[in-house]
Amino acid sequence: MKSRHDMIERYIGLMSGTSLDGVDAVLLEMDAQGKPQVVEDSFLPFPAGVREQVLQLQAIGHNELDLAARLANTLARIYADVVAQLLGKAALPAAAIRAIGCHGQTIRHAPHAAYTLQIGNHALLAELTGIDVIGDFRSRDVAAGGHGAPLVPAFHQDVFASDTENRVILNIGGISNLTRLHRSLPVIGFDCGPGNMLLDAWCQRHTGKPYDANGDWAASGRLHQSLLQQMMADDYFQLAPPKSTGRDLFDLNWLEQQLAAWPALDAADVQHTLLQLTAHSIAGEVRRHCPQTQSMHVCGGGAHNAALMQALQQQLPDIRICSTAELGLPVHQVEAAAFAWLAWRFCHRLPANLPEVTGAAGLRVLGALYPA
Ligand SMILES: Nc1ncnc2c1ncn2[C@@H]1O[C@H](COP(=O)(O)OP(=O)(O)O)[C@@H](O)[C@H]1O
Ligand SMILES: [Mg+2]
């Protein structure tokens, strides 16, 4: 008889999100019943210059095709490095891995124009690692009329849903997105708006640091009520789900337009108000679409922002706010684990989108295979 060990399939998930901080990797074991378990993780920060190259490609510019192809090669080498690091930590050979699920780096997200573009040279990643690579998870959902985002709610449902509690899973990456896991309601999930992205950009510009650790700088400033109100009046926050967004909308240009009426605002007050924007936009969506929520489990780097967590709790006093670690997955593992899980779905030709979440015409198998 086969032991449990023989039945296990191992997948690697790679996630590099809109924060542009680097690549999160996890090693996920799937047992014969389809139960996932993360057994190792790793992180590789982007080397100098990569972040700038991604940002450059997110705006319309000169010679985009050549730049995108070169950056896709650079990313594949970084992805291969983090895979090697992860396998080293786990003391496993490449042959022990069934497939890599690679999100790639989003450079354009335009579901209204029926495309979304994540780059990363998956052929090169397969060549460098000797492991099957599954990538381009979003395009098939978009082809079926969906937003191709968010894709993580199906994974959230699989690992975090409860029979006894109405939960919300909140991921605060560059963008914030939530998944409603209520006992008697369908799963919904959508992007709430900017998560860390504007906070990071403003902090970088004024302090030279890539992010505002714990939200300490934001906490030192004061709320500018009129600015907050004006920002909250953006159309995106009024839209009903399904909806998804990215740097295409909430970037420094957007912020500069918002600030045009107040050219002399104190930088720390702006940071404080941006933090409140993240908290208010999330809380508004929770009140509108998830009113019976009992607990909210936060993941993503924003979960480390103590001032942001405090602001969220103030906005949602009746909800118990805690981290996904309480449910067994540390905050930095959730998104990468979702892409390992998506690779498992692909390898078994199981659909992975939730049409009610993305707006697609139906269930679809997501991803494309680059064999080792
Ligand atoms: N200690 C911390 N204090 C405040 N913010 C943090 C901290 N650690 C990480 N972050 C935030 O988390 C971001 C990275 O989050 P991540 O979940 O990796 O997002 P993405 O998926 O968009 O890459 C950083 O850019 C930063 O804004
Ligand atoms: Mg990240």
Side-chain angles (χ1 to χ4, degrees):
M1 207 180 102
K2 280 188 169 181
S3 71
R4 180 183 177 273
H5 208 69
D6 296 327
M7 314 287 272
I8 278 176
E9 289 181 358
R10 296 186 189 84
Y11 293 85
I12 288 175
L14 299 180
M15 180 66 203
S16 52
T18 43
S19 288
L20 302 177
D21 54 333
V23 192
D24 285 298
V26 303
L27 179 60
L28 186 78
E29 290 186 351
M30 298 295 302
D31 70 14
Q33 282 71 47
K35 194 173 169 351
Q37 191 184 354
V38 172
V39 292
E40 193 57 86
D41 66 24
S42 206
F43 175 73
L44 206 57
F46 279 153
V50 169
R51 182 192 168 83
E52 290 69 23
Q53 288 173 48
V54 177
L55 286 175
Q56 185 185 344
L57 278 166
Q58 280 174 336
I60 293 167
H62 172 69
N63 193 25
E64 288 172 348
L65 285 178
D66 179 64
L67 291 172
R70 287 171 190 271
L71 180 56
N73 287 345
T74 303
L75 288 166
R77 293 185 188 283
I78 298 168
Y79 296 152
D81 286 347
V82 78
V83 167
Q85 190 175 290
L86 184 67
L87 290 176
K89 279 174 90 173
L92 284 172
I97 307 302
R98 172 82 191 266
I100 295 170
C102 182
H103 176 265
Q105 192 64 51
T106 298
I107 54 168
R108 303 284 167 94
H109 181 63
H112 51 279
Y115 78 91
T116 179
L117 188 53
Q118 286 75 41
I119 62 167
N121 185 339
H122 300 321
L124 179 57
L125 182 56
E127 188 69 28
L128 293 171
T129 59
I131 301 171
D132 283 5
V133 175
I134 323 293
D136 193 20
F137 288 99
R138 300 190 187 276
S139 288
R140 184 61 193 272
D141 184 84
V142 174
H147 279 249
L151 295 183
V152 287
F155 174 70
H156 289 164
Q157 180 181 29
D158 192 51
V159 296
F160 294 139
S162 158
D163 294 335
T164 56
E165 196 177 45
N166 289 329
R167 293 178 175 161
V168 162
I169 309 300
L170 173 68
N171 174 53
I172 310 181
I175 294 289
S176 67
N177 59 279
L178 68 74
T179 303
R180 180 185 72 190
L181 300 172
H182 283 198
R183 284 168 301 168
S184 52
L185 293 173
V187 175
I188 56 170
F190 55 90
D191 291 344
C192 305
N196 301 308
M197 216 156 64
L198 297 172
L199 288 165
D200 285 354
W202 191 252
C203 182
Q204 172 83 51
R205 175 182 284 189
H206 288 273
T207 71
K209 298 192 182 114
Y211 63 86
D212 178 12
N214 305 320
D216 286 344
W217 187 44
S220 76
R222 286 168 311 172
L223 176 67
H224 195 290
Q225 188 66 48
S226 314
L227 174 60
L228 178 61
Q229 265 169 13
Q230 179 192 285
M231 293 194 293
M232 283 298 299
D234 187 282
D235 288 346
Y236 187 78
F237 302 119
Q238 329 307 324
L239 277 179
K243 60 178 177 175
S244 59
T245 187
R247 278 190 190 274
D248 313 64
L249 174 59
F250 294 110
D251 61 0
L252 266 178
N253 289 331
W254 182 89
L255 180 56
E256 270 157 15
Q257 279 167 25
Q258 299 294 326
L259 291 172
W262 300 282
L265 272 191
D266 178 72
D269 291 354
V270 173
Q271 186 76 359
H272 184 105
T273 307
L274 286 173
L275 184 140
Q276 292 294 342
L277 173 68
T278 295
H280 279 246
S281 55
I282 291 165
E285 301 289 14
V286 171
R287 283 193 288 264
R288 257 192 305 280
H289 299 291
C290 327
Q292 303 298 317
T293 301
Q294 291 163 293
S295 67
M296 182 153 87
H297 298 265
V298 188
C299 59
H304 296 299
N305 187 325
L308 179 55
M309 291 303 103
Q310 211 181 342
L312 266 175
Q313 188 68 78
Q314 265 164 12
Q315 288 298 308
L316 299 166
D318 298 330
I319 296 177
R320 191 170 66 84
I321 299 180
C322 52
S323 102
T324 52
E326 192 183 278
L327 304 177
L329 277 182
V331 302
H332 59 281
Q333 288 184 353
V334 179
E335 290 264 301
F339 281 86
W341 183 86
L342 285 167
W344 168 74
R345 299 289 294 185
F346 177 91
C347 288
H348 293 265
R349 298 301 187 271
L350 296 167
N353 61 335
L354 296 177
E356 62 276 24
V357 168
T358 62
L363 290 167
R364 297 292 186 269
V365 176
L366 305 180
L369 169 65
Y370 292 74

